[in-house]
Amino acid sequence: MAHNILKQLYHLPFPECTKQALTFLTTFISQDGANIPGFNANMEQIVVEVCQEFVLFKSTRGPPKNLSAVQELNLLDMICSCFSTAPEKSKYRIFNLMFGAHGDSRVNLLLTKLISFALSVRCAPVLICAAIWMQERDCLSPDVKALTERLVNDHCLLYPDPSNVFSALPNLSPLFACNFITSATSFYSFADSSSLPPYALLEHVSDWVYRDNMVCCESLRQAAIHSAYTTPVPGLVGWCVRGPLVCCQLKQQKKKLISTTTNNNSTTSTATNTAITTTSTTQDSNNSSTSSSSSSSDNYDIDSLLLSLDKLHLALLQSLMFTAGVNLSPGLISTGDLVHITQTLTSRSYSTPLEEAACQVALERLAQILQVASHTHTYLSDHTKLKEMESLANHKLPHNRLLSLVLADKLKG
């Protein structure tokens, strides 16, 4: 009898209690409870309690049960198996029952672990459900950003080499990859050196967009089903446009650091006595050599960032062109998004040749994005916003001929 399910489960040890609970939940949700013996008006509350007690282990009758690392791994495996075998129409309802509650840090942490595990075992149903959850929750919401941060820590920061598991993400769930990029570009805005995305993340994202020109459009493709959507294009344009300026800032910071270190070494060398002058000179020479080597290494990292941004910018232009060919509605980016990105450029100073050159690259990329998005009808145009963008370009930023021509053309049309 279904109303005795809780009594039965409380008498079973782990993992048997969770196996039985997942079977019960799948059966109940797949059949809408109507054909289950013993069904009554309280069944929905019983279903919630079964999920809380024996899947999430978030007890309402006492302190939560703490699973060991091995038990938790077993739990994640059972949940993945549940989604792999559940009827298609029931998968997201089961997922929403487990993870639909707002603001529960314990449940959200379990969800993060589940997604990482699903990536490892290539369990696409979990990732597809998580992608819909992200879209319904809003990819820019705190819950989704927290999930994104933990996934970046697991797959981009924990190990120095690029994650082979993470690189396959778009193949498993293009929608998850799309919504993850949207959240990541919001969390790591590339506004300055303190909001830089980890290099491994930038490398993965550039590769995903380059390999699959549709990945940025997946949330838009779902708009007919889930009306609320955001796309990663505005955030990625922000990365491509602001990236050269941030890299310029990093180069200047490194030059100052090297200069300060050299001056300190020089002062120390002068203060030493004649007896240790030769030794000190040798040490300073070694330090200078080490500093130079470190500088070259750091500059190589910046060059790698710039190369990844070049690749991403080309991939974005290709994505806009490709999207136009599959007749999706406009909405990948808006004029308002471009105005906001332009505004972020006005707070910087462009007093050195290096800064001026980086600014010209940024403005040319902005012009290219505007031109291609307009040509392919993949952006939401607003004449007033275009005028605002033109005013910013003419009065607050260095002159860029390409951007001026593109804006004049768009305003004329």
mmCIF file of all heavy atoms in Angstrom, residues 10-11 64 105 113 132 150 153 168 218 221 238 241 254 339 345 389:
data_model
loop_
_atom_site.group_PDB
_atom_site.id
_atom_site.type_symbol
_atom_site.label_atom_id
_atom_site.label_comp_id
_atom_site.label_asym_id
_atom_site.label_seq_id
_atom_site.Cartn_x
_atom_site.Cartn_y
_atom_site.Cartn_z
ATOM 1 N N TYR A 10 11.739 3.623 6.167
ATOM 2 C CA TYR A 10 12.445 3.900 7.423
ATOM 3 C C TYR A 10 13.094 2.644 8.003
ATOM 4 O O TYR A 10 14.034 2.736 8.793
ATOM 5 C CB TYR A 10 11.496 4.515 8.451
ATOM 6 C CG TYR A 10 11.342 6.010 8.321
ATOM 7 C CD1 TYR A 10 10.104 6.573 8.045
ATOM 8 C CD2 TYR A 10 12.441 6.876 8.450
ATOM 9 C CE1 TYR A 10 9.961 7.950 7.899
ATOM 10 C CE2 TYR A 10 12.297 8.246 8.310
ATOM 11 C CZ TYR A 10 11.059 8.776 8.037
ATOM 12 O OH TYR A 10 10.919 10.131 7.894
ATOM 13 N N HIS A 11 12.615 1.476 7.591
ATOM 14 C CA HIS A 11 13.174 0.220 8.110
ATOM 15 C C HIS A 11 14.277 -0.342 7.217
ATOM 16 O O HIS A 11 14.856 -1.380 7.530
ATOM 17 C CB HIS A 11 12.063 -0.826 8.274
ATOM 18 C CG HIS A 11 11.176 -0.560 9.448
ATOM 19 N ND1 HIS A 11 10.023 0.196 9.378
ATOM 20 C CD2 HIS A 11 11.296 -0.947 10.748
ATOM 21 C CE1 HIS A 11 9.463 0.261 10.565
ATOM 22 N NE2 HIS A 11 10.207 -0.420 11.425
ATOM 23 N N PRO A 64 19.703 16.195 9.718
ATOM 24 C CA PRO A 64 19.927 15.544 8.424
ATOM 25 C C PRO A 64 20.966 14.440 8.532
ATOM 26 O O PRO A 64 21.906 14.523 9.316
ATOM 27 C CB PRO A 64 20.427 16.692 7.536
ATOM 28 C CG PRO A 64 20.957 17.713 8.487
ATOM 29 C CD PRO A 64 20.135 17.597 9.729
ATOM 30 N N SER A 105 20.971 25.758 0.405
ATOM 31 C CA SER A 105 22.386 25.576 0.058
ATOM 32 C C SER A 105 22.783 24.102 0.042
ATOM 33 O O SER A 105 23.600 23.685 -0.791
ATOM 34 C CB SER A 105 23.273 26.354 1.044
ATOM 35 O OG SER A 105 23.025 25.936 2.369
ATOM 36 N N LYS A 113 27.234 18.641 -7.283
ATOM 37 C CA LYS A 113 27.942 17.355 -7.301
ATOM 38 C C LYS A 113 27.313 16.403 -8.318
ATOM 39 O O LYS A 113 28.021 15.661 -9.018
ATOM 40 C CB LYS A 113 27.935 16.731 -5.908
ATOM 41 C CG LYS A 113 28.756 17.508 -4.885
ATOM 42 C CD LYS A 113 28.640 16.899 -3.489
ATOM 43 C CE LYS A 113 29.480 17.673 -2.476
ATOM 44 N NZ LYS A 113 29.359 17.131 -1.105
ATOM 45 N N ILE A 132 17.275 23.104 -18.280
ATOM 46 C CA ILE A 132 15.928 23.687 -18.205
ATOM 47 C C ILE A 132 15.742 24.401 -16.870
ATOM 48 O O ILE A 132 15.172 25.499 -16.808
ATOM 49 C CB ILE A 132 14.859 22.590 -18.394
ATOM 50 C CG1 ILE A 132 15.002 21.965 -19.779
ATOM 51 C CG2 ILE A 132 13.457 23.166 -18.206
ATOM 52 C CD1 ILE A 132 14.159 20.721 -19.987
ATOM 53 N N ARG A 150 30.913 26.943 -8.751
ATOM 54 C CA ARG A 150 31.408 25.662 -8.249
ATOM 55 C C ARG A 150 31.856 24.744 -9.385
ATOM 56 O O ARG A 150 32.851 24.025 -9.255
ATOM 57 C CB ARG A 150 30.327 24.992 -7.391
ATOM 58 C CG ARG A 150 30.127 25.664 -6.031
ATOM 59 C CD ARG A 150 29.265 24.820 -5.109
ATOM 60 N NE ARG A 150 27.888 24.777 -5.555
ATOM 61 C CZ ARG A 150 26.912 25.539 -5.081
ATOM 62 N NH1 ARG A 150 27.183 26.431 -4.146
ATOM 63 N NH2 ARG A 150 25.672 25.424 -5.517
ATOM 64 N N ASN A 153 35.230 25.948 -10.500
ATOM 65 C CA ASN A 153 36.241 25.500 -9.532
ATOM 66 C C ASN A 153 36.611 24.039 -9.770
ATOM 67 O O ASN A 153 37.785 23.670 -9.745
ATOM 68 C CB ASN A 153 35.732 25.678 -8.105
ATOM 69 C CG ASN A 153 35.734 27.122 -7.666
ATOM 70 O OD1 ASN A 153 36.468 27.945 -8.201
ATOM 71 N ND2 ASN A 153 34.905 27.466 -6.696
ATOM 72 N N ALA A 168 33.644 18.123 -23.395
ATOM 73 C CA ALA A 168 32.585 17.401 -24.111
ATOM 74 C C ALA A 168 31.184 17.896 -23.751
ATOM 75 O O ALA A 168 30.196 17.361 -24.253
ATOM 76 C CB ALA A 168 32.683 15.907 -23.802
ATOM 77 N N GLU A 218 20.957 28.118 -28.368
ATOM 78 C CA GLU A 218 20.113 27.051 -27.837
ATOM 79 C C GLU A 218 18.998 27.577 -26.938
ATOM 80 O O GLU A 218 17.871 27.085 -26.977
ATOM 81 C CB GLU A 218 20.967 26.032 -27.077
ATOM 82 C CG GLU A 218 21.860 25.188 -27.967
ATOM 83 C CD GLU A 218 21.068 24.336 -28.964
ATOM 84 O OE1 GLU A 218 19.935 23.921 -28.641
ATOM 85 O OE2 GLU A 218 21.598 24.102 -30.062
ATOM 86 N N ARG A 221 16.295 28.921 -29.049
ATOM 87 C CA ARG A 221 15.529 27.830 -29.678
ATOM 88 C C ARG A 221 14.476 27.272 -28.732
ATOM 89 O O ARG A 221 13.449 26.751 -29.164
ATOM 90 C CB ARG A 221 16.475 26.708 -30.117
ATOM 91 C CG ARG A 221 17.271 27.023 -31.378
ATOM 92 C CD ARG A 221 18.566 26.231 -31.421
ATOM 93 N NE ARG A 221 18.358 24.810 -31.426
ATOM 94 C CZ ARG A 221 18.241 24.044 -32.523
ATOM 95 N NH1 ARG A 221 18.297 24.607 -33.715
ATOM 96 N NH2 ARG A 221 18.078 22.753 -32.444
ATOM 97 N N GLY A 238 31.031 41.288 -24.555
ATOM 98 C CA GLY A 238 31.750 42.034 -23.516
ATOM 99 C C GLY A 238 33.155 41.501 -23.312
ATOM 100 O O GLY A 238 34.114 42.276 -23.180
ATOM 101 N N VAL A 241 35.307 42.513 -26.434
ATOM 102 C CA VAL A 241 35.557 43.954 -26.546
ATOM 103 C C VAL A 241 36.456 44.451 -25.415
ATOM 104 O O VAL A 241 37.426 45.182 -25.649
ATOM 105 C CB VAL A 241 34.222 44.732 -26.570
ATOM 106 C CG1 VAL A 241 34.453 46.238 -26.437
ATOM 107 C CG2 VAL A 241 33.444 44.414 -27.852
ATOM 108 N N LYS A 254 52.350 44.486 -14.783
ATOM 109 C CA LYS A 254 53.548 43.650 -14.724
ATOM 110 C C LYS A 254 54.809 44.492 -14.939
ATOM 111 O O LYS A 254 55.835 44.260 -14.298
ATOM 112 C CB LYS A 254 53.460 42.528 -15.753
ATOM 113 C CG LYS A 254 52.489 41.428 -15.355
ATOM 114 C CD LYS A 254 52.431 40.343 -16.405
ATOM 115 C CE LYS A 254 51.646 39.147 -15.914
ATOM 116 N NZ LYS A 254 50.249 39.432 -15.645
ATOM 117 N N VAL A 339 25.128 49.294 -26.065
ATOM 118 C CA VAL A 339 25.323 50.585 -25.400
ATOM 119 C C VAL A 339 25.967 50.380 -24.032
ATOM 120 O O VAL A 339 26.893 51.108 -23.646
ATOM 121 C CB VAL A 339 23.981 51.333 -25.257
ATOM 122 C CG1 VAL A 339 24.125 52.533 -24.326
ATOM 123 C CG2 VAL A 339 23.491 51.802 -26.619
ATOM 124 N N LEU A 345 33.501 51.193 -21.562
ATOM 125 C CA LEU A 345 34.783 51.627 -22.130
ATOM 126 C C LEU A 345 35.098 53.086 -21.796
ATOM 127 O O LEU A 345 36.251 53.506 -21.863
ATOM 128 C CB LEU A 345 34.781 51.455 -23.653
ATOM 129 C CG LEU A 345 34.433 50.073 -24.206
ATOM 130 C CD1 LEU A 345 34.497 50.093 -25.733
ATOM 131 C CD2 LEU A 345 35.364 49.007 -23.648
ATOM 132 N N MET A 389 24.661 55.434 -28.393
ATOM 133 C CA MET A 389 25.941 54.790 -28.691
ATOM 134 C C MET A 389 26.814 55.701 -29.546
ATOM 135 O O MET A 389 28.032 55.815 -29.331
ATOM 136 C CB MET A 389 25.682 53.461 -29.396
ATOM 137 C CG MET A 389 26.883 52.562 -29.545
ATOM 138 S SD MET A 389 26.371 50.942 -30.170
ATOM 139 C CE MET A 389 27.973 50.208 -30.472
#
